[in-house]
Amino acid sequence: MFKFLNIYPEKTLAGIVSGLLSYLTRNIMPLVACVLLFEIIDFITGVWKSKILARRRGEKFAFESVKAWRTIYKTVFILAGIIMSELLDVVISERDLRLANFFTAFCCGVEFWSFLENAAVISDHPLFRWLGKFMRVKVEDKIDFDKFTEGRTGHDQG
């Protein structure tokens, strides 16, 4: 009776899985868009910085696909991290945790810091050098790195 519909088990399973994942991760699209924007801007400024540094050293600039692939891998892992942290929020059902937001904010903060470093090299402007130093001081003030490494032996640090 349903042979004319061409229903395949693989397509049905893929539809069910993708529907379930889209339901569970419906809140993360702004986070994904934000991360993608930060990654793209960091990638463009990173390539630009490499070109500026090559010119300053008198070398020929060459685009390295290895760096592009590293950016792609990093982006995929960040997107997977956003999805997993959102799923943890759903499973824990403590909507106040907002793990995906914290994870995204951390990743975007790292990319912003990288952008500031790239901008300092590209423009050679004191404002960006100062902003980079200012951010480093503020981050070190707010995060007690010694607290995270307390009690760890040299074997398990890495």
Side-chain angles (χ1 to χ4, degrees):
M1 176 174 175
F2 294 106
K3 289 186 181 198
F4 66 91
L5 293 177
N6 292 331
I7 298 177
Y8 300 102
E10 299 87 9
K11 289 182 180 180
T12 305
L13 180 62
I16 291 170
V17 169
S18 63
L20 180 63
L21 282 176
S22 67
Y23 174 74
L24 292 175
T25 60
R26 65 190 176 276
N27 300 322
I28 65 170
M29 288 315 292
L31 304 179
V32 168
C34 184
V35 161
L36 289 176
L37 179 67
F38 273 73
E39 287 293 326
I40 289 168
I41 291 172
D42 180 53
F43 178 74
I44 291 170
T45 58
V47 170
W48 190 4
K49 178 184 90 170
S50 295
K51 185 175 182 178
I52 296 291
L53 288 175
R55 186 178 342 139
R56 287 180 188 164
R57 289 188 298 251
E59 300 171 355
K60 185 178 177 184
F61 170 72
F63 181 79
E64 297 178 22
S65 64
V66 172
K67 290 182 181 179
W69 279 109
R70 268 190 262 157
T71 299
I72 291 169
Y73 293 147
K74 178 176 64 170
T75 304
V76 167
F77 286 129
I78 288 172
L79 294 177
I82 291 171
I83 291 169
M84 290 188 303
S85 58
E86 178 66 18
L87 289 174
L88 276 174
D89 273 346
V90 170
V91 170
I92 295 171
S93 71
E94 289 285 334
R95 295 307 296 175
D96 295 336
L97 284 179
R98 308 293 299 169
L99 294 174
N101 289 36
F102 287 118
F103 181 78
T104 303
F106 176 77
C107 294
C108 288
V110 169
E111 296 307 317
F112 181 65
W113 196 330
S114 176
F115 166 78
L116 288 177
E117 291 173 345
N118 293 340
V121 171
I122 292 168
S123 70
D124 199 28
H125 196 278
L127 171 67
F128 290 108
R129 288 194 301 269
W130 180 83
L131 279 171
K133 289 177 187 173
F134 176 77
M135 277 195 58
R136 184 172 43 253
V137 167
K138 285 298 180 186
V139 167
E140 289 172 356
D141 269 358
K142 299 292 181 195
I143 299 174
D144 185 11
F145 288 107
D146 293 332
K147 181 172 71 175
F148 292 111
T149 58
E150 257 178 25
R152 294 180 73 191
T153 64
H155 184 291
D156 57 52
Q157 290 181 350

